[in-house]
Amino acid sequence: MDKIRVRGGRPLFGEATISGAKNSTLPCMAASLMTPEPVLLHNAPRQVRDVATMKLLLEHLGTAASWEENSLRLQADGIDEFEAPYDMVKTMRASVLVLGPLVSRFGKAVISLPGGCAIGARPIDMHLGGLEHLGATITIEHGYVYATAKRLRGTRYRFPSVTVTGTENLILAATLAEGETILENCALEPEIGDVISLLRKMGARITGEDTPTIHIKGTESLHGAEHTIIPDRIETGTFLIGGAITGGKISVKKCNPAHLTGVIKKLTENGCRIVEQAGEIQIEAPTILLPSDVETQPYPHFPTDLQAQYMALMTQAEGISRIHENIFENRFMHVGELLRMRADIRIHDHIAEVHGRTPLSGANVMATDLRASACLVLAGLVAEGDTVVQRVYHIDRGYERIEEKLRQLGADIERIS
Ligand code: EPU
């Protein structure tokens, strides 16, 4: 099993180029199930493991899929399987995104129920409740969700709380429903706007993106389309934190600064000098990093997907920072590993109190999920000596060649087996 070895102490300098957003590519790939015509996705992160898993799932269902550089061509004209099996769903929860498209276009879907995962219980009750409102019949047996419908019909559904993939699943489902659907209390993440933009190119009639209320006028069929995936805002934030934590100065290219306002605000409070330009963010670390409190909240606030990386940064700030995780009940698994690197962090309920600045000491650490592994790599960049991050398959689920990109910025990092 691959590991990443990082030797700390080198400030990052230079340029990093951001890949297409994983969390936008996955629902856009699922959207391709809704037409027999080809869907071409440009700027898709080909080397991200979750994207490869979704490609396998679509192929399993009967989609023809092929890559040309970073463009993924998907054609769902031979769908003859309607089940997302346990083995695929257990490797990637986002597999559940095929549920809405399969029920709306084919009237049936069988999806293994995702279990809990390293960051929380993560039920899919809102996906299922919304589909029932759209007229699907849902039953759960032996760990599988069975969904059937003659044709989904438009409805008004209010999400009891904000869910990203739940919003995406219901938008996808409602697009081919009969009549109008109004979804309320929708998530505002930019990845949702990206899927809507693709669906519109496919002929869908959707308004209200980037607002909590989305209107969808159902249509009989959709056609093929070509679409360029937005830049990955979490990868962008991870590199910005890399520049800040190492005392460096870097320029992050091919990103969208407008998607990171909550993060840029925090990094500025920490004393970083940030310059935003079209498609680019430059960051220069201060001599002394200042502490700051953070609460994770749905977009446009500070994202839970950068909480772990930000915690690594706050171990290097002079003073106490309180990091409040509001989205997932168990997303502090990285804390134990940071403690092994001599960080001083105390957890009270959903708040981690980080006492900085502590010199970190390289150690063997274990990645427990995607963002936790990024946190440990960032911590390794400032730790004294070698840090070996085990189970890096987690990091490969969401970052393209992270060690190569960091090496280009001057980090002493390599993948070992
Ligand atoms: N929730 C429910 N019931 C539901 C759906 C969600 O109780 O039916 C709860 C979840 O358990 C969680 C909260 O609602 O406590 C928010 O979860 P959400 O549904 O928004 O998360 P998700 O759609 O499963 C996406 C991203 C995650 C990211 C979260 C939050 C994708 C493929 N995944 O997950 O990304 O953390 O939104 O922003 O878009 C990652 O990339 O590392 C990652 C975990």
Side-chain angles (χ1 to χ4, degrees), residues 259-288:
H259 292 164
L260 283 122
T261 43
V263 177
I264 289 172
K265 183 165 167 267
K266 276 292 147 195
L267 291 171
T268 307
E269 273 175 41
N270 299 131
C272 297
R273 219 174 68 83
I274 294 191
V275 179
E276 296 175 44
Q277 284 170 357
E280 181 179 342
I281 306 173
Q282 291 161 12
I283 183 165
E284 185 176 353
T287 323
I288 296 175

Side-chain angles (χ1 to χ4, degrees), residues 151-155 173-181 217-220:
R151 183 168 178 207
L152 296 177
R153 47 183 156 60
T155 189
T175 297
L176 289 180
E178 188 182 343
E180 186 174 4
T181 297
K217 284 197 175 126
T219 165
E220 293 260 332

Side-chain angles (χ1 to χ4, degrees), residues 1 13 69 146 158 171 218 295 303 315 326 334 362-363 382 408:
M1 232 186 265
F13 285 103
E69 307 209 331
Y146 293 81
R158 184 177 177 81
I171 292 172
E295 274 204 44
T315 67
N326 284 306
H334 43 284
V382 279
Q408 273 167 16

Side-chain angles (χ1 to χ4, degrees), residues 17-220:
T17 302
I18 296 307
S19 300
K22 164 184 84 91
N23 287 348
S24 181
T25 307
L26 297 174
C28 286
M29 289 174 75
S32 74
L33 284 170
M34 300 181 62
T35 173
E37 296 181 15
V39 171
L40 193 55
L41 300 175
H42 301 298
N43 196 35
R46 183 173 182 166
Q47 288 168 74
V48 156
R49 179 76 61 85
D50 277 6
V51 169
T53 306
M54 183 60 106
K55 176 171 171 279
L56 279 180
L57 173 57
L58 296 182
E59 285 171 331
H60 164 82
L61 300 175
T63 295
S66 58
W67 284 104
E68 197 172 307
E69 307 209 331
N70 279 329
S71 296
L72 178 59
R73 185 184 190 279
L74 299 163
Q75 185 161 15
D77 58 351
I79 301 299
D80 54 3
E81 175 63 58
F82 303 93
E83 178 178 321
Y86 174 70
D87 280 342
M88 285 182 173
V89 180
K90 84 165 196 274
T91 25
M92 188 186 64
R93 303 175 52 82
S95 306
V96 75
L97 283 166
V98 303
L99 180 59
L102 285 178
V103 193
S104 65
R105 179 166 161 217
F106 301 101
K108 56 183 169 182
V110 182
I111 311 279
S112 171
L113 205 53
C117 73
I119 60 177
R122 301 183 77 183
I124 55 161
D125 52 307
M126 290 188 267
H127 302 234
L128 302 183
L131 276 176
E132 280 182 326
H133 267 257
L134 281 160
T137 304
I138 309 271
T139 52
I140 299 179
E141 266 172 48
H142 307 299
Y144 276 83
V145 175
Y146 293 81
T148 53
K150 275 216 173 69
R151 183 168 178 207
L152 296 177
R153 47 183 156 60
T155 189
R156 180 184 279 267
Y157 179 72
R158 184 177 177 81
F159 290 97
S161 61
V162 173
T163 161
V164 177
T165 49
T167 301
E168 291 161 353
N169 229 340
L170 290 201
I171 292 172
L172 290 164
T175 297
L176 289 180
E178 188 182 343
E180 186 174 4
T181 297
I182 300 172
L183 299 175
E184 293 172 336
N185 197 26
C186 292
L188 301 174
E189 270 66 5
E191 292 76 20
I192 293 169
D194 205 29
V195 186
I196 292 177
S197 152
L198 166 65
L199 287 169
R200 274 219 200 92
K201 291 174 192 163
M202 293 168 70
R205 294 177 298 169
I206 307 177
T207 54
E209 75 271 31
D210 305 329
T211 78
T213 305
I214 294 177
H215 291 247
I216 303 140
K217 284 197 175 126
T219 165
E220 293 260 332

